[in-house]
Amino acid sequence: MRRLSVTAIIREAYNFTLANLGAIIGLIWLPMVLLTVGQFFVNQHYGAQVNEAVAAGNPAAAGPAVLALLFFLLIQLALTAMMMVSVTQLALGQRQGGAMIHFAFGALEWRMFRTLFAAALFLMPPLMLLMLSGGAVMGGAPVAGGPQGMGALLALPLLAGVIYFAVRLMALLFPVVLTEEKSTIVRAWTLTTGNFWRLLGAFLGALLPVYLLMMVALMFVLRDAIPADPGAMPTPEQFAAVRDANLPMMTGLQFVVAPLLIGLTVGVSVFSFKALTKTDISA
């Protein structure tokens, strides 16, 4: 069983991303524009409909907005598949350079979409339970008729389980889809055996700095929602109002950092895959 070098994987991921940042931008900008614009309008519509339904005391009125959100999630998955296929090909050496405009949905993209959809279906039930238990802890609502403490007790193992299965299923999924013929999810799971902590460390080490910078930028954007009194907390309604008012800026920020996040994610995945299947990456 091969053991990954976390520092080497992170280094290779950053080298790939920074050396090919222009090519990555060229490959993903059009799907990313569509994804960003669609996400903005869908989230705006969803937030408005849910607020109206809650204000009217009729949660069922938000049903059409929920359906629109679910439909957009399928579109989001398809656009994500397009971007991941092209950037993974670049990292694997199957593609040389980027493109001015790249928008393709062929057999590989369809295969990536199906695989991501299957993984999402597997992870969705525990994610929904985690959201419900987390909401119970934050809101003080009981979980399944029990006390609030049960929400925390349920959330911790659920969170650990979601992280474990997400890493085992998704860490090597992108290169496996492009290089293996059958049973991509099973193959991705098998290859990660004995390397869960190393893979988790590699993804955190590569992505956490970018997410921290995003959080700092978002705190600046949402500074009006941060109370002057450290002991005071804004109400959910106040925070939602500030968030909605700054939604264009927040969406734009996500668009700007997308090439870095996608490049690093694919880089960690591909170089981990290469280390486990073909060539070792020296420490």
Side-chain angles (χ1 to χ4, degrees), residues 169-192:
L169 288 172
M170 305 290 292
L172 305 181
L173 204 59
F174 308 128
V176 167
V177 169
L178 268 64
T179 58
E180 304 286 339
E181 293 296 328
K182 298 179 180 179
S183 303
T184 53
I185 292 181
V186 174
R187 176 64 169 160
W189 177 275
T190 303
L191 283 173
T192 57

Side-chain angles (χ1 to χ4, degrees), residues 4-13 198 201-202 281-283:
L4 294 174
S5 169
V6 174
T7 55
I9 296 297
I10 295 173
R11 183 177 65 247
E12 293 290 342
R198 291 174 176 84
I281 299 177
S282 58

Side-chain angles (χ1 to χ4, degrees), residues 223-282:
R223 61 190 181 279
D224 292 337
I226 301 175
D229 180 6
M233 289 294 293
T235 65
E237 292 78 12
Q238 291 173 331
F239 189 86
V242 175
R243 180 200 61 202
D244 293 343
N246 292 278
L247 189 57
M249 191 176 297
M250 294 170 61
T251 306
L253 176 63
Q254 294 174 4
F255 177 79
V256 169
V257 300
L260 280 175
L261 291 176
I262 291 175
L264 291 171
T265 299
V266 169
V268 171
S269 183
V270 166
F271 291 108
S272 298
F273 174 79
K274 286 183 175 181
L276 290 171
T277 59
K278 296 178 182 178
T279 57
D280 289 310
I281 299 177
S282 58

Side-chain angles (χ1 to χ4, degrees), residues 20-269:
N20 295 277
L21 191 58
I24 294 171
I25 292 173
L27 291 170
I28 73 168
W29 75 264
L30 181 54
M32 196 65 208
V33 165
L34 297 175
L35 182 60
T36 304
V37 173
Q39 191 174 47
F40 171 74
F41 285 108
V42 169
N43 287 342
Q44 192 177 51
H45 173 72
Y46 176 77
Q49 292 296 313
V50 170
N51 290 338
E52 289 180 8
V54 171
N58 181 21
V66 174
L67 290 177
L69 182 63
L70 292 175
F71 178 73
F72 178 72
L73 288 177
L74 294 177
I75 298 176
Q76 184 176 19
L77 210 57
L79 293 170
T80 300
M82 290 184 195
M83 294 185 286
M84 290 305 182
V85 166
S86 60
V87 178
T88 303
Q89 287 175 328
L90 187 66
L92 288 169
Q94 298 176 352
R95 172 188 292 273
Q96 300 300 319
M100 292 295 294
I101 297 178
H102 179 77
F103 192 85
F105 198 88
L108 283 176
E109 287 79 11
W110 172 238
R111 191 169 188 233
M112 183 73 76
F113 172 82
R114 296 198 322 265
T115 307
L116 290 174
F117 183 73
L121 284 180
F122 182 84
L123 293 171
M124 190 175 295
L127 276 173
M128 293 180 66
L129 286 174
L130 180 61
M131 291 172 63
L132 289 173
S133 59
V137 173
M138 296 299 292
V143 176
Q148 180 181 351
M150 289 184 63
L153 292 176
L154 182 62
L156 290 176
L158 277 173
L159 178 61
V162 167
I163 293 173
Y164 177 79
F165 283 104
V167 171
R168 293 293 308 274
L169 288 172
M170 305 290 292
L172 305 181
L173 204 59
F174 308 128
V176 167
V177 169
L178 268 64
T179 58
E180 304 286 339
E181 293 296 328
K182 298 179 180 179
S183 303
T184 53
I185 292 181
V186 174
R187 176 64 169 160
W189 177 275
T190 303
L191 283 173
T192 57
T193 301
N195 281 286
F196 165 76
W197 290 110
R198 291 174 176 84
L199 285 166
L200 180 61
F203 277 102
L204 288 177
L207 297 175
L208 198 56
V210 181
Y211 278 111
L212 288 176
L213 289 175
M214 282 187 63
M215 287 178 62
V216 171
L218 285 175
M219 288 178 65
F220 177 78
V221 170
L222 301 177
R223 61 190 181 279
D224 292 337
I226 301 175
D229 180 6
M233 289 294 293
T235 65
E237 292 78 12
Q238 291 173 331
F239 189 86
V242 175
R243 180 200 61 202
D244 293 343
N246 292 278
L247 189 57
M249 191 176 297
M250 294 170 61
T251 306
L253 176 63
Q254 294 174 4
F255 177 79
V256 169
V257 300
L260 280 175
L261 291 176
I262 291 175
L264 291 171
T265 299
V266 169
V268 171
S269 183

